[in-house]
Amino acid sequence: MELEALKLKLPNITDPNLLNALLEYGHIHEFPAGKIITEPGQFIKMVPIVLEGAIKILRMDEDGKELFLYYLEPGETCALSLTCCSASRPSEIKAVAEEKTVILGLPIDKHEQFSDKYKQWKDFVSMTYQSRFQEMLVALDAVAFKRMDERLMRYIVTKMKQYKANELHITHQEIANELGTSREVISRLLKQLEKKKWIELGRNVIYIRDDFEELISA
């Protein structure tokens, strides 16, 4: 990858020395949609910086149930990965490529060196911690305080923005897994939304009205 191309992928990093260092030490990795990148218990060997696509970050319990936390999108990295890197601890999250995804993987030892050498890297890491902390609070609030129907509607909005589309190709079971509930509950709530004519259900696909976010906010 050339320097100018990396600048476009990482608009928050403008220091040419840091960008050149990322090019020198980072490695490009490509993952197809659905590929598991990291699982709980694995040691993280690199800091992943998303260049294209998106990565879904999930938390898993002892029974294998999953809870969706947040997405990593182009120009972003994972605060939980940074924490595990710094503490030399195994991963506590599951990371899955939501679509075809390209990342720049920075070796762990370079992360520590860059934090001392480049102010913009230190700022990038700090900004990552701050934004991810806010997203974790949103996820926690949703689980603790919101009804499942509210969580489902916000989930649909998140997916719409993620895919930039009003057509979601996803099963009821996949939604249930990410929201930590049963398929039957999700199917019932989706049918209620369909009765309101806010969505239309097909086979493993959900068609969503353009004004869906406005409807649920009214």
Side-chain angles (χ1 to χ4, degrees):
M1 178 175 288
E2 300 295 329
L3 179 61
E4 291 303 316
L6 188 61
K7 282 182 180 179
L8 295 175
K9 302 290 186 183
L10 303 176
N12 291 325
I13 298 178
T14 56
D15 181 350
N17 293 322
L18 174 54
L19 289 167
N20 279 312
L22 288 170
L23 285 173
E24 181 178 357
Y25 298 108
H27 300 280
I28 299 294
H29 302 268
E30 296 187 10
F31 302 97
K35 175 69 175 178
I36 297 174
I37 300 171
T38 303
E39 292 190 274
Q42 291 182 343
F43 280 89
I44 297 174
K45 300 178 181 179
M46 64 179 179
V47 176
I49 305 171
V50 180
L51 301 180
E52 298 176 17
I55 297 175
K56 180 170 55 180
I57 304 299
L58 304 155
R59 183 85 163 107
M60 298 180 66
D61 68 10
E62 294 178 353
D63 298 325
K65 291 183 179 179
E66 300 174 344
L67 177 66
F68 169 75
L69 296 179
Y70 54 79
Y71 287 109
L72 297 181
E73 297 187 319
E76 298 179 340
T77 189
C78 180
L80 295 175
S81 295
L82 290 168
T83 300
C84 292
C85 288
S86 299
S88 298
R89 295 204 319 262
S91 172
E92 297 178 350
I93 53 94
K94 181 178 180 180
V96 182
E98 180 74 356
E99 54 192 275
K100 181 182 177 183
T101 299
V102 179
I103 69 169
L104 179 71
L106 183 70
I108 295 173
D109 61 326
K110 295 303 175 185
H111 161 51
E112 299 293 340
Q113 293 176 20
F114 283 17
S115 295
D116 294 332
K117 189 172 182 180
Y118 301 107
K119 182 181 182 302
Q120 275 203 348
W121 179 257
K122 194 172 183 178
D123 292 343
F124 177 65
V125 170
S126 296
M127 183 177 63
T128 294
Y129 278 125
Q130 182 178 8
S131 61
R132 296 304 166 217
F133 179 70
Q134 292 299 320
E135 288 179 319
M136 293 283 283
L137 286 181
V138 170
L140 179 61
D141 286 348
V143 173
F145 305 120
K146 291 188 177 181
R147 302 193 315 265
M148 185 54 68
D149 58 343
E150 294 176 324
R151 290 176 59 196
L152 174 60
M153 289 186 288
R154 295 315 309 177
Y155 173 87
I156 290 173
V157 170
T158 299
K159 285 286 189 181
M160 288 172 63
K161 292 180 178 178
Q162 176 65 41
Y163 289 116
K164 299 179 178 61
N166 291 45
E167 186 176 310
L168 301 183
H169 293 269
I170 189 168
T171 67
H172 295 189
Q173 186 62 61
E174 288 170 334
I175 298 173
N177 291 344
E178 293 192 20
L179 294 181
T181 187
S182 68
R183 180 187 58 78
E184 290 76 14
V185 169
I186 294 302
S187 295
R188 175 172 54 82
L189 294 174
L190 287 171
K191 286 184 183 301
Q192 289 176 4
L193 292 175
E194 187 175 40
K195 284 182 180 179
K196 292 181 178 180
K197 301 189 182 302
W198 291 5
I199 65 172
E200 182 180 339
L201 299 175
R203 183 172 177 81
N204 297 338
V205 63
I206 303 172
Y207 304 99
I208 306 154
R209 281 177 50 163
D210 291 339
D211 58 349
F212 182 81
E213 187 171 10
E214 297 173 18
L215 289 170
I216 70 172
S217 301

